[in-house]
Amino acid sequence: NAGVTQTPKFQVLKTGQSMTLQCAQDMNHEYMSWYRQDPGMGLRLIHYSVGAGITDQGEVPNGYNVSRSTTEDFPLRLLSAAPSQTSVYFCASTSTGPSGNTIYFGEGSWLTVV
Amino acid sequence: AQSVTQPDIHITVSEGASLELRCNYSYGATPYLFWYVQSPGQGLQLLLKYFSGDTLVQGIKGFEAEFKRSQSSFNLRKPSVHWSDAAEYFCAVGARAAGNKLTFGGGTRVLVKP
């Protein structure tokens, strides 16, 4: 996937631990977002940003924080991990233009909370 | 609120046969519509998108989709499937004014028989 880099790819956490999922894009896109993917539910929006310094909540924001200090980076923080946060997390970056929006996804981060 | 329904959780098709994946959406205005494909353990790849104009949209890998406003549908088709088309397919709807906020369907897993 062009230009959206997520780390780590795999992570196991204990309940109550905190961690940060990193996301970076080199396409100078203003829009970035975080989704989680759970079986049978598709992807659900956690948080999104429309530019540096601006973030907002998506459909399932509880237990997660984000910040957007630069255009390139959009980290997702789990404050106190819970088993319900076991999921696959995708970062996305959106280009806008005359032909509409194109959303690029990262490779995903597989998180297990035990 | 917008929503997306993919009625078929699993579809099995023989190699060389045609494929049609159903997608129904609920949205108050003219939506942006997308189809993504995900291979096991991988991220999401954009197959095609609809913003405006011709309601029959051509995508990559020989896929096409037709937007039918009267039926609130955006079904994905391929005339002849290949074994490499085995994957999970997601339909998504987005608001025109929100560049990165997508609502996804639950996905349809496609199995290809030799």
Side-chain angles (χ1 to χ4, degrees):
Chain A
N1 290 308
V4 181
T5 304
Q6 288 182 235
T7 56
K9 192 170 179 70
F10 299 100
Q11 183 72 49
V12 178
L13 285 179
K14 294 182 179 179
T15 298
Q17 286 185 316
S18 62
M19 76 157 298
T20 299
L21 298 176
Q22 302 291 345
C23 177
Q25 53 95 4
D26 58 2
M27 299 174 281
N28 201 34
H29 292 162
E30 293 296 322
Y31 291 154
M32 296 185 74
S33 46
W34 277 102
Y35 292 83
R36 61 177 287 173
Q37 182 180 25
D38 301 293
M41 303 183 74
L43 280 73
R44 292 179 292 168
L45 182 64
I46 304 171
H47 285 284
Y48 65 98
S49 170
V50 298
I54 306 170
T55 65
D56 206 346
Q57 296 181 351
E59 180 184 355
V60 287
N62 292 341
Y64 307 95
N65 273 359
V66 292
S67 60
R68 187 92 180 274
S69 56
T70 66
T71 299
E72 294 77 19
D73 300 301
F74 190 44
L76 178 73
R77 298 182 186 85
L78 280 70
L79 308 173
S80 177
S84 61
Q85 294 179 303
T86 294
S87 188
V88 184
Y89 292 85
F90 288 96
C91 179
S93 174
T94 302
S95 68
T96 60
S99 62
N101 301 334
T102 298
I103 300 170
Y104 300 92
F105 285 91
E107 293 285 329
S109 296
W110 274 253
L111 176 66
T112 300
V113 182
V114 297
Chain B
Q2 56 203 50
S3 66
V4 178
T5 301
Q6 293 179 246
D8 303 305
I9 297 175
H10 294 100
I11 285 182
T12 299
V13 61
S14 297
E15 192 169 14
S18 64
L19 174 68
E20 181 168 11
L21 304 182
R22 295 183 290 165
C23 172
N24 295 99
Y25 68 89
S26 173
Y27 187 68
T30 302
Y32 285 161
L33 294 160
F34 305 82
W35 274 100
Y36 286 88
V37 60
Q38 184 181 35
S39 298
Q42 302 297 312
L44 283 85
Q45 182 181 23
L46 179 66
L47 286 175
L48 47 80
K49 60 184 180 182
Y50 170 80
F51 292 108
S52 64
D54 193 344
T55 57
L56 185 62
V57 181
Q58 301 298 320
I60 63 171
K61 304 186 177 186
F63 284 94
E64 66 178 25
E66 187 171 11
F67 170 55
K68 292 186 177 181
R69 185 189 303 275
S70 62
Q71 298 177 19
S72 297
S73 69
F74 189 56
N75 294 350
L76 181 72
R77 299 192 292 256
K78 185 169 183 177
S80 177
V81 300
H82 186 262
W83 63 267
S84 60
D85 293 323
E88 189 157 22
Y89 293 79
F90 293 95
C91 181
V93 63
R96 290 177 177 269
N100 54 348
K101 294 172 64 178
L102 294 184
T103 298
F104 283 82
T108 298
R109 186 170 297 280
V110 174
L111 304 175
V112 180
K113 295 189 301 183

